[in-house]
Amino acid sequence: MNKRNLVVLLSAGLLFSAVPWLTGCSVMNKIFVKTELPPPVSAGETQPADIPIPHLNFTHRPEKSIFLETVGVRTASIKYEGSAHLEDVVAFYETQMPLHKWQHQGTISADSLHKMAFTRKREKCEVTAENKGSDTYLTIKLNYLPMQ
């Protein structure tokens, strides 16, 4: 590299590095746009609006639940307790989830446990209903499906 090219290169580098001091931060902020992620929506009373909850004497347990949503990606583990017949819970989800555009992928059933799987676009929702004595526990898990 000859001296003339080296001088031109160094001058251009110095000029470019001096731009922030010469023009101020407002110009640089326009050049280099910062994209900040919105804060996640956190658990408590916040629940996914597109996952129905049966009105079968269930109480939301926010202290045992979490729901996070940011940039269109959601994850959740939401728990309810109550008293309901498992067959009623299964029938509710098999009819209500498709109304919210969820596709039923299948149900696994045992004596005191029913686990249903639903998908929609890039999300998977698992609904588990379990009887323990006279109590019924409902757990809704929501996850983003990995790319295949």
Side-chain angles (χ1 to χ4, degrees):
M1 181 181 279
N2 63 31
K3 281 187 175 183
R4 184 167 187 249
N5 289 344
L6 183 60
V7 170
V8 169
L9 185 63
L10 287 174
S11 298
L14 286 172
L15 182 60
F16 184 73
S17 64
V19 168
W21 291 283
L22 296 174
T23 62
C25 291
S26 63
V27 171
M28 292 306 290
N29 284 341
K30 291 177 184 173
I31 295 171
F32 301 104
V33 178
K34 294 179 184 178
T35 54
E36 294 182 20
L37 298 177
V41 175
S42 190
E45 42 307 322
T46 306
Q47 301 168 43
D50 57 346
I51 300 176
I53 305 303
H55 298 288
L56 300 170
N57 299 324
F58 279 108
T59 303
H60 181 224
R61 299 299 305 265
E63 71 279 3
K64 295 182 178 184
S65 301
I66 187 166
F67 172 49
L68 301 172
E69 180 175 11
T70 186
V71 197
V73 177
R74 307 181 303 171
T75 187
S77 179
I78 304 171
K79 301 196 180 265
Y80 297 86
E81 292 179 14
S83 58
H85 295 290
L86 292 180
E87 298 78 20
D88 294 338
V89 176
V90 171
F92 174 85
Y93 280 101
E94 287 178 346
T95 58
Q96 291 297 309
M97 289 294 274
L99 298 177
H100 294 274
K101 310 280 190 245
W102 289 95
Q103 295 178 358
H104 187 228
Q105 300 299 317
T107 301
I108 300 172
S109 299
D111 291 338
S112 61
L113 178 89
H114 292 280
K115 189 173 209 173
M116 297 158 279
F118 301 90
T119 57
R120 183 178 68 186
K121 296 181 184 175
R122 306 274 311 138
E123 291 182 306
K124 178 181 181 182
C125 180
E126 291 180 357
V127 178
T128 304
E130 181 177 15
N131 271 76
K132 290 183 181 176
S134 62
D135 295 327
T136 302
Y137 297 90
L138 180 65
T139 303
I140 298 170
K141 291 188 178 183
L142 180 66
N143 293 302
Y144 195 70
L145 292 171
M147 294 185 76
Q148 296 182 13

